[in-house]
Amino acid sequence: MSQPRRTSAILLLILCVAALCALPWLLPPGQLVAAVQMLIAALFACAFNLLAGQGGMLSFGHAAYFGVGTFATIHAMNALGGAGLLPTPLMPLAGGVAGLLFGLVAGWFATMRSGVYFAMITLALAELLHALAPHLKGVFGGEAGVSAMRMPAWGFTFGSDIEVYFLVLAWVLVSLAALYGLTRTPLGRLTLGLRENANRLRYLGYRPHTLKTLVFALSAMFAGIAGGLQALNIEAGNYVLFDVKLSTDAVLFAYIGGVNAFLGPVLGASILTFLSQTLADITRSWLLYQGILFVLVMLFVPDGLVGLVQGAARSLRERGLANWLPRATVSVAGGLLLTCATVFTVEMLQRMFARDYRSLLAMNPEAGWPDIPLFGHDWAPLAPSTWLIPLALFAAGLVACRWALALWRDDAQAAPTLEAAQ
């Protein structure tokens, strides 16, 4: 990376950290809890990405180490008669140690195989823990779970959301810095070697199984720290933490954000956590939207959203604003039109097939299909005009996308001709 680009990256990083520090005074009080969840999800996604993105080992059971870290931290908070095994700001260390130890054991077995077999072993280990947790009531609390309380320490009560936010922010920034520093060490280089060609490392005298186990354990350790922060945030834990959905979330966060960029999982976790917090209150179909986003990213932007942003920035530098802006405008317009068509269709169908609506239709079948209120207007579900709107939006979006593709292609074809002429 050139010196100007490195300086720009550092300045952007400083601005992002400053914005995070100012966030408690910029957000409504109710949104601060969502911001804490975004930070925890970002660390969890980066911990997963150390294993999957950098090490090339796709895990489907990373929720196990997050959950182990959560319960270890809760028990540490309840130790010594509730006084706590450590001061409250240091409690996530308990989660990190528990994740590291559990990761060493699980990683030793899981990394005996690679590829699909490795992924299935990690899933089996997580599901085994998920099945055993309800029966180990002394550790996991059964159906009710285990709860704890944050104790005052170092002059802070940790009774307000702002204090919890800054505690979580400090741990996330330190952990991300440690993860980034790890990528610059010889172990970080060897981790990339495991992803590219483990056999070559074996020929060079390294032991791939040992290296994989170490990377697995470090990834589990940072996932345990994220779990410890979750324990401090909600002061409770339940065996639901071991559910496969949390492991799936880690995969979605990393791959939607971009596994090839260090901060890609941070972007993916932030966006999806924000959407889950906001869309869950607006629509019942938010999981469908999350799945659609994942499919689109995998099909058209394999480098993730960070790759899309980097590509746009590189294109802007190469073409200049006057050449780049019209093409970008047409591309964004096409995407917005397709999004509007998809949202309208999904929300209409969701309401048509909802149980309440079907019950209302069954109560008075002679009256026909009742109008569906959506976006401030009542829509007749069987009227052709209702469905002409998403069809028109979809057609316009396709036309705009094809137009944008033609503009980008013409520009790319003109570049070699111009270079030859010069």
Side-chain angles (χ1 to χ4, degrees):
M1 183 184 296
S2 62
Q3 186 63 33
R5 292 180 61 186
R6 184 181 292 110
T7 303
S8 300
I10 293 174
L11 290 176
L12 180 61
L13 181 61
I14 293 174
L15 289 176
C16 290
V17 173
L20 288 173
C21 292
L23 207 57
W25 293 278
L26 300 176
L27 289 177
Q31 294 295 323
L32 195 58
V33 176
V36 173
Q37 288 298 128
M38 288 170 60
L39 291 172
I40 295 173
L43 177 56
F44 182 44
C46 282
F48 168 82
N49 195 51
L50 172 64
L51 184 67
Q54 299 177 40
M57 294 174 279
L58 179 60
S59 170
F60 285 148
H62 233 55
Y65 318 105
F66 183 92
V68 165
T70 300
F71 281 103
T73 304
I74 290 175
H75 287 298
M77 293 168 69
N78 289 329
L80 303 179
L85 192 63
L86 295 168
T88 296
L90 300 180
M91 280 296 175
L93 288 175
V97 172
L100 176 65
L101 296 177
F102 190 66
L104 280 172
V105 176
W108 178 262
F109 292 102
T111 54
M112 290 182 179
R113 294 292 182 267
S114 59
V116 176
Y117 304 103
F118 169 83
M120 292 299 101
I121 292 173
T122 59
L123 177 61
L125 291 173
E127 286 302 294
L128 176 63
L129 188 57
H130 182 249
L132 290 176
H135 306 286
L136 302 176
K137 296 183 179 180
V139 180
F140 302 109
E143 295 285 343
V146 184
S147 60
M149 290 184 63
R150 298 184 294 265
M151 300 301 294
W154 299 357
F156 300 98
T157 63
F158 298 106
S160 67
D161 292 336
I162 292 180
E163 289 183 343
V164 174
Y165 172 82
F166 279 107
L167 175 60
V168 172
L169 177 61
W171 268 100
V172 169
L173 291 178
V174 170
S175 299
L176 291 180
L179 280 168
Y180 182 76
L182 179 63
T183 64
R184 300 299 176 181
T185 63
L187 178 60
R189 303 298 184 186
L190 291 174
T191 303
L192 296 177
L194 289 173
R195 182 187 67 185
E196 300 300 330
N197 195 330
N199 289 327
R200 181 170 295 180
L201 290 181
R202 182 180 292 108
Y203 294 149
L204 293 175
Y206 296 100
R207 299 176 61 182
H209 182 226
T210 303
L211 289 173
K212 289 180 179 180
T213 303
L214 181 57
V215 174
F216 193 105
L218 289 174
S219 176
M221 181 186 74
F222 285 103
I225 292 175
L229 294 175
Q230 180 75 346
L232 289 177
N233 181 35
I234 64 176
E235 299 179 292
N238 189 281
Y239 74 90
V240 177
L241 289 169
F242 299 117
D243 191 77
V244 68
K245 181 184 180 303
L246 187 59
S247 298
T248 305
D249 286 342
V251 177
L252 292 175
F253 294 160
Y255 280 90
I256 288 178
V259 294
N260 295 324
F262 178 76
L263 293 179
V266 174
L267 179 62
S270 301
I271 292 176
L272 291 184
T273 304
F274 174 77
L275 290 178
S276 67
Q277 295 286 340
T278 56
L279 293 182
D281 297 330
I282 300 174
T283 175
R284 299 177 184 178
S285 305
W286 67 272
L287 283 176
L288 176 60
Y289 295 125
Q290 180 175 285
I292 292 174
L293 177 61
F294 179 71
V295 171
L296 292 177
V297 168
M298 292 298 97
L299 286 176
F300 301 108
V301 195
D303 290 332
L305 297 179
V306 166
L308 182 64
V309 173
Q310 290 175 341
R314 182 170 57 252
S315 176
L316 177 60
R317 289 195 303 269
E318 293 174 352
R319 293 177 170 86
L321 182 61
N323 186 285
W324 178 85
L325 187 58
R327 292 161 172 78
T329 302
V330 175
S331 301
V332 172
L336 289 177
L337 289 170
L338 292 176
T339 300
C340 292
T342 302
V343 171
F344 187 96
T345 303
V346 169
E347 294 303 316
M348 280 293 295
L349 292 176
Q350 186 274 321
R351 284 160 173 77
M352 287 178 62
F353 292 100
R355 182 178 300 176
D356 296 341
Y357 185 82
R358 306 297 294 180
S359 300
L360 183 63
L361 179 62
M363 289 173 58
N364 192 9
E366 295 81 7
W369 292 64
D371 292 347
I372 297 176
L374 181 65
F375 303 129
H377 184 76
D378 293 335
W379 305 91
L382 299 184
S385 58
T386 298
W387 300 104
L388 283 176
I389 293 176
L391 285 175
L393 291 173
F394 189 76
L398 286 180
V399 171
C401 288
R402 290 181 63 88
W403 184 20
L405 185 61
L407 290 174
W408 292 113
R409 186 183 295 119
D410 291 344
D411 192 62
Q413 292 174 352
T417 304
L418 180 61
E419 291 178 359
Q422 292 177 346

